Every structure is written in C-alpha cells, then in structure tokens.
Amino acid sequence: SKGVGQNLINYAEMKAKELDCHALRLCTGVENAGAQKFYERAGWARRSFAFKKFLKPWTKQLLNHSN
C-alpha cells in the first residue's frame, strides 16, 4: 500500500533492461489473488501453470499447505 511492491517491480525491470534481458518471470501462489491483480495491473501477463505433487503424505501437513 506504500508503493514498495511497485518500486521493487520497477527496479527489477530497470536492472533487467540494463543487462539486456529479454523478459522477466515471477511466480505467485494460486491463492494470492491480490498479487495476481497487482502484477496484471503492472503489465505482467499470465504465461504458464505450475504443478506440484507431494510425494510423501506427511509433507503436505508438515508444510501446512492446502494446495
């Protein structure tokens, strides 16, 4: 709410341009709708889906994740 997120995005984009990068990529959780809206307003586009599968039954409980 104080512009910190936008400042970080602006800095990352500026540094990437200085380094002649062609694109940036970031990740956020599917449950984080606020961040998704923020990134879209900042000109970022959804380009992929990420998938996760817990291999040990206790891992999901240990990490306290619902996804």
Side-chain angles (χ1 to χ4, degrees):
S1 64
K2 297 184 181 206
V4 174
Q6 188 62 57
N7 287 340
L8 289 170
I9 291 291
N10 291 345
Y11 181 78
E13 292 178 5
M14 179 188 70
K15 292 307 284 184
K17 288 176 184 176
E18 287 176 7
L19 296 169
D20 200 31
C21 295
H22 297 280
L24 290 173
R25 177 178 288 191
L26 60 83
C27 298
T28 188
V30 295
E31 69 284 348
N32 197 343
Q36 294 168 30
K37 289 177 185 176
F38 168 76
Y39 296 128
E40 289 171 346
R41 282 193 311 267
W44 292 68
R46 293 176 197 235
R47 300 290 300 158
S48 65
F49 291 98
F51 296 88
K52 175 171 62 176
K53 180 178 182 180
F54 289 103
L55 300 178
K56 297 182 180 183
W58 54 267
T59 307
K60 188 174 183 179
Q61 296 168 347
L62 178 69
L63 298 175
N64 195 23
H65 287 224
S66 59
N67 294 325

